[in-house]
Amino acid sequence: CSGVLVHRDVLLTSAHCFENQVYAKKVVFDGDRGAPNEVYSIKDVTIHPQYARAMMEGKTLAEHPDLASIDLAAVVLSPAYS
């Protein structure tokens, strides 16, 4: 899955990336625009409450906000990503 950096330590991504509740513990910025790859540890993942509730109740997920935020353990310092 991909995401967008919305704050120096927060990514916005899709909740469906976390449906199986097993996910990577790291985020990799792919070195686009000539910048080197950067790896950050994930501190926490928050799934949109409506999507999380639908997931738990086995409802159709397409009708709910497919959003999740990823809190990074450190701020992104590279100007290429901020």
Side-chain angles (χ1 to χ4, degrees):
C1 287
S2 62
V4 61
L5 192 62
V6 295
H7 193 268
R8 294 183 68 92
D9 62 351
V10 179
L11 290 169
L12 186 62
T13 189
S14 300
H16 72 260
C17 299
F18 304 96
E19 282 180 25
N20 66 7
Q21 308 220 356
V22 176
Y23 52 88
K25 302 292 185 206
K26 306 260 184 206
V27 171
V28 177
F29 290 86
D30 71 0
D32 192 32
R33 294 180 270 166
N37 288 353
E38 294 184 19
V39 179
Y40 292 86
S41 294
I42 294 175
K43 181 168 64 173
D44 193 25
V45 174
T46 304
I47 296 174
H48 192 286
Q50 290 178 4
Y51 196 92
R53 188 170 32 257
M55 215 171 21
M56 288 180 4
E57 294 173 358
K59 293 185 177 175
T60 304
L61 299 175
E63 301 171 3
H64 302 282
D66 188 6
L67 297 171
S69 65
I70 299 174
D71 296 326
L72 302 175
V75 298
V76 176
L77 298 175
S78 174
Y81 302 112
S82 55

